[in-house]
Amino acid sequence: MKNLLLFLLLPLFSHHRLSAQPGPVPAGRVVVTYLDSKLLRNNPGGENPRRRVSVYLPAGYDASPQQRYPVLYYLHGFTWNDSLIFNKDGMKDLLDQAIAEKQIRPIIVVVPNEQTRFGGSWYVNSATNGPWADFTAKELVSFIDQQFRTLARPGSRGLAGHSMGGGGTLRLALQYPGPWAAAYALSPALVGPHPSYLPGPGLPVALRAAGSAGLQGSHPAQSTVAVARAFSANPKALPFGADLPGSLGADSLARRDAALTRWVAATPTYLLPTHTASLRQLRALAFDWGAQDEVLHIPPTCRTFSQWLSSYGIRHTAEEYEGTHGSRIMGHEGRIFRHVLPFFDKHLDF
């Protein structure tokens, strides 16, 4: 589990702000709004149904009240959130610069806050956390179309994300073929099974400590609980509302097998055979990852997923590049600026 859990720490040091560029560029603005979710209301896991949503509006949005724009939905990573995407990672400046340099035409970019009590929703429907996949693919899209001047049609919507958000991008593209025209996943996590998913011998100790003193400072416990609440939810299982791959007492092979079976079944690799029609409906699908990714399951599971896609004849682009989990994501020379935004400029209707 150690390798799987490393991504928990990566957002703290892996994102880089946009490098300074010469000359002023037209500035868009970021609007912070709130969606009082009916879908997430009364979830047994205690997650707040009032969700913050940060929305980038391009320069000229206010000056041209008749113009409508395509929308890119961007899903953040584990322990990260929408505010950090804009205020720490520099997404606003990156988008301003990309539009000025014609990497993409003016576009609205929506980042929902799906950080939860234990670090992240994983963008899945959970009996404990609530229906986060439905929230993202249905309720959020409807909300944005009502609140902003969007081109409210699938051909003008794109979906992208990094790490947890990258895995969420692939899973939502498989399970919800209607809302989007194209999808791009960066360093997607939990794409398929890998030995690093197995819990280490210290997990029961960490969970006992978490049970008595909370999860703060216990990264293995926090990550394990978050993934279990998403993929092996059980509201009746105390204290975390999930069937864990380890236990608060003696470890159990049967318990581990039961939880991991549900985790694996929810990965994009194992969803693919029964959801091929969804991906064939997309105009374009792409994902990429760093060859030196510290989250060791990501490179091999991405390669395998690409092979599976090819075996089903699904057109896609999969690229491994020289980089770590987040070293080449943001910034003027990063993957978003150089690859993701041009991808959506090509495949969305403007």
Side-chain angles (χ1 to χ4, degrees):
M1 182 65 73
K2 179 180 179 181
N3 294 333
L4 171 63
L5 301 173
L6 183 57
F7 71 79
L8 177 66
L9 299 173
L10 291 172
L12 301 179
F13 57 81
S14 66
H15 293 75
H16 295 263
R17 292 187 60 83
L18 181 67
S19 301
Q21 298 298 311
V25 299
R29 63 188 177 97
V30 177
V31 174
V32 178
T33 186
Y34 289 85
L35 195 173
D36 290 305
S37 172
K38 295 179 180 179
L39 292 176
L40 299 176
R41 190 180 301 163
N42 301 321
N43 65 85
E47 301 298 345
N48 187 355
R50 182 173 172 80
R51 306 311 302 181
R52 188 178 64 227
V53 183
S54 292
V55 181
Y56 170 85
L57 302 175
Y61 181 89
D62 297 314
S64 302
Q66 302 305 314
Q67 185 172 353
R68 293 185 174 272
Y69 300 85
V71 183
L72 173 59
Y73 290 85
Y74 185 83
L75 309 181
H76 63 76
F78 188 59
T79 73
W80 221 236
N81 60 44
D82 60 312
S83 179
L84 292 171
I85 290 291
F86 284 105
N87 296 316
K88 187 173 180 64
D89 292 345
M91 179 68 90
K92 177 193 172 297
D93 292 341
L94 185 151
L95 292 169
D96 287 343
Q97 192 73 45
I99 293 170
E101 293 189 21
K102 301 187 185 306
Q103 293 290 94
I104 192 169
R105 285 163 283 179
I107 190 171
I108 294 171
V109 178
V110 174
V111 186
N113 176 20
E114 298 204 24
Q115 188 176 115
T116 62
R117 295 171 56 207
F118 297 94
S121 72
W122 288 94
Y123 307 99
V124 300
N125 291 339
S126 160
T128 295
N129 290 340
W132 291 89
D134 287 346
F135 166 80
T136 309
K138 298 178 180 180
E139 195 172 31
L140 175 65
V141 170
S142 176
F143 174 79
I144 293 299
D145 285 342
Q146 292 171 15
Q147 297 295 318
F148 300 94
R149 296 200 316 276
T150 67
L151 291 169
R153 56 189 185 232
S156 297
R157 297 193 197 103
L159 181 66
H162 175 248
S163 193
M164 178 184 78
T169 294
L170 295 177
R171 197 174 294 104
L172 290 173
L174 283 158
Q175 295 179 315
Y176 299 81
W180 352 90
Y184 197 122
L186 298 138
S187 307
L190 299 184
V191 173
H194 189 265
S196 64
Y197 293 6
L198 292 171
L203 179 60
V205 175
L207 289 174
R208 281 198 297 272
S212 61
L215 293 174
Q216 296 300 319
S218 178
H219 298 296
Q222 181 184 20
S223 179
T224 299
V225 169
V227 173
R229 281 168 64 95
F231 296 105
S232 53
N234 179 358
K236 296 181 180 179
L238 300 177
F240 300 115
D243 294 329
L244 302 173
S247 69
L248 298 176
D251 200 6
S252 164
L253 185 61
R255 181 185 298 109
R256 177 182 302 176
D257 288 351
L260 292 178
T261 295
R262 295 175 66 185
W263 293 15
V264 169
T267 63
T269 299
Y270 280 80
L271 288 171
L272 176 60
T274 55
H275 293 76
T276 53
S278 299
L279 296 189
R280 291 193 177 104
Q281 183 172 312
L282 291 176
R283 294 177 183 174
L285 171 67
F287 54 101
D288 58 31
W289 62 95
Q292 292 78 38
D293 199 315
E294 304 91 336
V295 187
L296 297 185
H297 77 266
I298 288 179
T301 58
C302 284
R303 294 187 204 110
T304 298
F305 186 57
S306 178
Q307 292 169 355
W308 279 49
L309 289 169
S310 295
S311 72
Y312 281 96
I314 295 174
R315 292 179 299 172
H316 68 286
T317 299
E319 181 181 356
E320 181 172 283
Y321 57 88
E322 294 298 309
T324 61
H325 191 63
S327 62
R328 294 178 59 187
I329 304 299
M330 306 301 290
H332 190 268
E333 302 304 318
R335 305 295 296 186
I336 291 179
F337 192 94
R338 296 294 172 183
H339 295 269
V340 175
L341 295 177
F343 170 87
F344 288 108
D345 188 70
K346 178 180 180 180
H347 294 293
L348 297 186
D349 294 334
F350 283 75

